[in-house]
Amino acid sequence: MAETTHCSKNHNQPDSPTNLFRALDRLIPNELLQNTTERFQARLLVLIVLLFFVLGLIAILVIIGLEKSVPIRRLVSIFLILAQPMALWAMVHFKSLAHAGWTSVLLTWCLAFYIDFNNLSTAGPMTPAWVVPIVFSSLLLNRQGFLYVTVACLLAMMSIFWANTQLLLPAPITDPTQWKPLRLIIIISLILIVSLCIYSLIKLTQIKETELHEEIQRRKKISEELAIAKEQAEASAKSKALFLATMSHELRTPLNGVLASAELLALEDLPEKTKSRVNDISSAGTLLLTLINDLLDLSKFETSGVELSPSPYSLSLQLHRIHSMMKPRIKPGVDFILKMPDEELIIDADEHRLAQIILNLVSNAAKFTRQGQITIKAIKPTEDQLILEISDTGSGISKEDQPRLFQEFVQVGSEQHIHREGSGLGLAIIQRIVDKMEGRISLESELGKGTTVSVNLPIHYLEASAQLPHEVTELSADEETRFEQLRVLVVDDVDLNRMVMQALLEELGITHIDLCSDGSEAVAAIEKDPSYDLILMDVCMPIMDGITACQKIRELNYTRPIIAATANAFAEDRMLCLEAGMSGFVSKPVLLEPLKQCLTDALQIPSR
């Protein structure tokens, strides 16, 4: 039974302060109860005001009891004491601790000044009362407010002291014979108030320390969560990159056989019907390759941004090539027009990225134009500016759809157009490239009347006599002779790819060709016969991959060109091949012109 009583007593002990706080909280706005520090300061304000109010009334009653009278000047003191709860009204009305704190401090300052002024201080009993507004300000105001109040109190004390020395103060409000008991009352009141304030400061410091510790723990937890999220994001990015690299390889490998075979067939003397079907195969394969490239570009832009590789080249020649290349894709009855300045435009820019912009815009125009014309127009308005305009007389784009045009995976147009070929990536990629080039892109379109897309780019023009990379045209006699004399080793684990590569090389006049199905066979072949002029090496192969095979072949002191012919088309793959000792890089699907260019560069055969 005793144990039960003891437990009950321990349980009830905290109820007393809890009930007190609950009573105080009724006077405090809910907005100030949400924060730990504000809640404590608001409770403290209520306690201070009530305590000061009670002690002030007690002091006044004692004085009145001693003096047996209430002069008019005493009524002012009583009024200032009774006005102390105005601070609580300010807190409730303004829902602000700052307003309440200033109200309490100013009322206390006025009371101290009035009583001090009316009691011949510093000779009188009230000078210690100046401690009260200073202590209140330290608890209820910010640092700047505390400094203002302290200075105001010191100035008031010195002014009253000066006035007293000059005999300018009125007769004391309290009979000097009662100053000793009054001093005792004031000292006891000050001790109580200052003790409460010191305790409050200690408690407030503890609360701040607790909040600081909790904030440190919270930030530490957030930091740990961010680190975990970063690791997960990096792992996700790596998985995404690995997935894209794998899918790129797996898609490009069969495309290599499709597009290369279609290109080789197109070179044959075929019946018109068969040639048309071969062109259809080539167009479909090219469209699929474009989609793969767009997906890879978009993914790369999201992770590492757009990378530019500027170099000098002829924009005029590029536009002619794009015009020739895209002409077969324009619908019958649609005029395909190229307009540009008479002077040859030589620029220093990223040829590949600029081609992406033009090709994507022309492809979009071709999809939606059934009659009329499509125009590519190059304008040189100034010496450091290029404007490319691609206009058509197609179906046009509504005002509602135009703001969404450059978003990813968005196709716009009427219902009969919405399922046309395309992924909705091309224009989003164009926007990112143009932004990277510090240019701008604009669109004018009207339903049923066509569309004009303008790309305005800052550009660096070169003189027409500038040295340009050599252009690959038909083989010269020297090139034909050199190619005929070459001995080439083709290394690829896919039978179709080896067959296609052999056919492409033979089309270039190379007849001395040996084939290997993996890297270890290639290493053995070079050990046996190091006289091969060139090696075309796939990268992803079983048993021994192309990177390892290249390193081992270089260890055999083989110094002639090794060219990576791989479906791994990322820039990182290119760098990895070059770091392993390869001399060049051609991505699958391998077509005749890129292969010819790569061989020419690797063997340093001059072109006309």
Side-chain angles (χ1 to χ4, degrees):
M1 187 72 180
E3 183 177 354
T4 306
T5 304
H6 176 72
C7 291
S8 175
K9 184 179 180 180
N10 287 344
H11 177 72
N12 290 331
Q13 274 181 341
D15 285 349
S16 178
T18 302
N19 289 334
L20 173 62
F21 289 149
R22 286 176 180 170
L24 296 178
D25 289 349
R26 293 174 183 172
L27 302 173
I28 301 171
N30 290 330
E31 290 83 354
L32 302 180
L33 295 174
Q34 307 302 319
N35 180 275
T36 306
T37 303
E38 289 186 345
R39 180 169 65 245
F40 178 79
Q41 286 182 306
R43 289 171 175 174
L44 178 62
L45 174 66
V46 175
L47 284 174
I48 286 174
V49 169
L50 294 179
L51 178 63
F52 190 76
F53 179 76
V54 170
L55 291 175
L57 285 180
I58 292 173
I60 288 294
L61 291 174
V62 170
I63 293 171
I64 293 173
L66 292 172
E67 296 180 344
K68 309 298 183 181
S69 65
V70 185
I72 296 176
R73 290 163 65 190
R74 181 75 67 203
L75 291 176
V76 177
S77 303
I78 295 172
F79 170 77
L80 289 173
I81 292 172
L82 294 177
Q84 292 300 314
M86 285 290 294
L88 303 184
W89 174 86
M91 179 176 65
V92 173
H93 181 74
F94 295 106
K95 296 181 175 56
S96 166
L97 281 173
H99 286 81
W102 274 109
T103 303
S104 177
V105 169
L106 289 175
L107 287 172
T108 309
W109 187 92
C110 291
L111 180 62
F113 181 86
Y114 182 79
I115 297 179
D116 202 21
F117 181 84
N118 284 277
N119 283 279
L120 297 178
S121 296
T122 58
M126 279 304 297
T127 299
W130 286 108
V131 175
V132 177
I134 295 175
V135 173
F136 281 13
S137 66
S138 68
L139 290 170
L140 303 177
L141 304 180
N142 56 28
R143 181 167 28 185
Q144 191 174 17
F146 168 72
L147 291 175
Y148 289 157
V149 173
T150 302
V151 171
C153 289
L154 293 174
L155 291 175
M157 288 173 61
M158 288 188 291
S159 64
I160 292 174
F161 174 77
W162 175 84
N164 189 25
T165 59
Q166 301 297 315
L167 304 177
L168 299 175
L169 295 178
I173 190 173
T174 302
D175 187 351
T177 60
Q178 306 297 334
W179 279 359
K180 286 185 179 180
L182 184 59
R183 278 197 180 99
L184 179 62
I185 294 171
I186 292 171
I187 290 172
I188 291 173
S189 300
L190 286 176
I191 289 173
L192 290 174
I193 292 172
V194 171
S195 298
L196 174 63
C197 292
I198 291 174
Y199 169 79
S200 301
L201 281 172
I202 295 172
K203 190 66 177 177
L204 189 60
T205 302
Q206 291 175 344
I207 291 174
K208 287 291 187 181
E209 289 177 350
T210 302
E211 289 181 345
L212 181 60
H213 176 73
E214 291 175 352
E215 180 66 16
I216 290 172
Q217 294 300 317
R218 187 181 69 83
R219 295 196 178 193
K220 184 178 179 181
K221 184 177 180 181
I222 291 174
S223 178
E224 291 172 352
E225 291 174 350
L226 287 174
I228 294 172
K230 180 183 177 184
E231 291 176 0
Q232 292 174 341
E234 289 175 349
S236 176
K238 288 180 181 178
S239 299
K240 180 180 178 182
L242 180 61
F243 171 77
L244 287 171
T246 303
M247 291 306 299
S248 172
H249 181 274
E250 295 304 317
L251 291 169
R252 286 174 181 274
T253 297
L255 266 179
N256 183 59
V258 172
L259 289 177
S261 297
E263 185 179 38
L264 290 169
L265 279 172
L267 297 174
E268 301 290 336
D269 187 13
L270 301 173
E272 196 63 35
K273 187 176 181 180
T274 305
K275 186 174 290 187
S276 175
R277 289 177 177 173
V278 169
N279 288 335
D280 290 341
I281 294 172
S282 181
S283 297
T286 302
L287 181 62
L288 181 56
L289 180 61
T290 300
L291 176 58
I292 294 170
N293 289 334
D294 284 349
L295 286 168
L296 292 176
D297 274 341
L298 188 63
S299 174
K300 185 177 179 182
F301 292 171
E302 289 177 348
T303 55
S304 58
V306 182
E307 295 179 359
L308 300 178
S309 301
S311 61
Y313 76 96
S314 171
L315 175 64
S316 303
L317 182 59
Q318 182 186 43
L319 292 174
H320 279 294
R321 285 180 172 174
I322 290 174
H323 183 264
S324 299
M325 182 174 65
M326 293 300 295
K327 200 167 187 177
R329 296 184 59 181
I330 306 300
K331 294 178 178 62
V334 177
D335 295 327
F336 189 31
I337 302 168
L338 174 62
K339 295 180 179 180
M340 56 184 181
D342 294 333
E343 63 176 305
E344 185 178 11
L345 301 179
I346 308 296
I347 62 174
D348 186 15
D350 190 317
E351 183 176 5
H352 171 64
R353 295 302 182 195
L354 203 55
Q356 271 186 290
I357 294 173
I358 302 169
L359 286 170
N360 269 300
L361 293 176
V362 174
S363 295
N364 277 344
K367 291 176 194 175
F368 299 102
T369 305
R370 295 178 175 274
Q371 59 184 1
Q373 66 182 33
I374 297 172
T375 303
I376 304 175
K377 187 177 182 180
I379 306 170
K380 181 184 177 183
T382 64
E383 291 299 322
D384 57 358
Q385 189 180 16
L386 170 66
I387 298 177
L388 294 170
E389 287 186 358
I390 287 79
S391 58
D392 64 67
T393 56
S395 56
I397 304 166
S398 67
K399 297 291 185 183
E400 295 78 17
D401 285 336
Q402 287 179 23
R404 302 187 301 119
L405 191 63
F406 294 95
Q407 296 177 12
E408 297 157 12
F409 301 104
V410 171
Q411 290 180 317
V412 298
S414 57
E415 287 298 322
Q416 67 262 30
H417 292 144
I418 203 67
H419 296 296
R420 287 183 181 272
E421 63 183 32
S423 59
L425 290 176
L427 293 178
I429 290 172
I430 288 175
Q431 182 69 70
R432 297 197 185 196
I433 295 173
V434 171
D435 289 344
K436 180 65 176 180
M437 291 176 139
E438 299 180 352
R440 63 181 184 276
I441 187 167
S442 59
L443 174 114
E444 293 181 8
S445 186
E446 188 176 345
L447 279 176
K449 294 187 177 181
T451 302
T452 297
V453 181
S454 298
V455 179
N456 194 320
L457 299 171
I459 213 77
H460 179 52
Y461 290 96
L462 302 175
E463 297 294 331
S465 58
Q467 176 109 21
L468 300 178
H470 58 263
E471 300 293 340
V472 178
T473 57
E474 294 182 0
L475 290 176
S476 65
D478 291 340
E479 290 172 336
E480 289 181 358
T481 303
R482 179 68 188 276
F483 278 153
E484 288 174 0
Q485 295 173 352
L486 290 179
R487 291 190 65 220
V488 178
L489 181 65
V490 176
V491 187
D492 200 304
D493 61 309
V494 179
D495 292 340
L496 177 60
N497 286 343
R498 292 197 301 272
M499 179 187 71
V500 168
M501 184 63 76
Q502 183 176 7
L504 290 170
L505 292 172
E506 288 174 350
E507 190 64 35
L508 293 174
I510 301 171
T511 56
H512 302 289
I513 305 167
D514 290 327
L515 308 174
C516 293
S517 59
D518 68 73
S520 59
E521 289 185 16
V523 174
I526 295 300
E527 281 182 320
K528 183 177 180 181
D529 182 5
S531 63
Y532 287 100
D533 298 292
L534 182 117
I535 302 173
L536 284 164
M537 179 82 73
D538 188 20
V539 173
C540 292
M541 295 182 290
I543 304 176
M544 182 183 291
D545 61 81
I547 299 295
T548 304
C550 176
Q551 293 169 339
K552 289 186 175 297
I553 291 172
R554 291 304 187 198
E555 290 172 2
L556 297 174
N557 295 322
Y558 182 85
T559 58
R560 297 179 184 182
I562 302 176
I563 297 175
T566 175
N568 295 340
F570 288 94
E572 297 80 21
D573 300 314
R574 182 187 299 270
M575 289 302 301
L576 188 63
C577 293
L578 297 177
E579 289 172 1
M582 294 190 181
S583 313
F585 184 99
V586 59
S587 61
K588 294 179 181 176
V590 179
L591 301 178
L592 199 58
E593 192 68 17
L595 177 61
K596 176 185 169 187
Q597 177 72 72
C598 189
L599 294 181
T600 302
D601 291 341
L603 296 168
Q604 296 182 344
I605 301 174
S607 297
R608 294 185 301 172

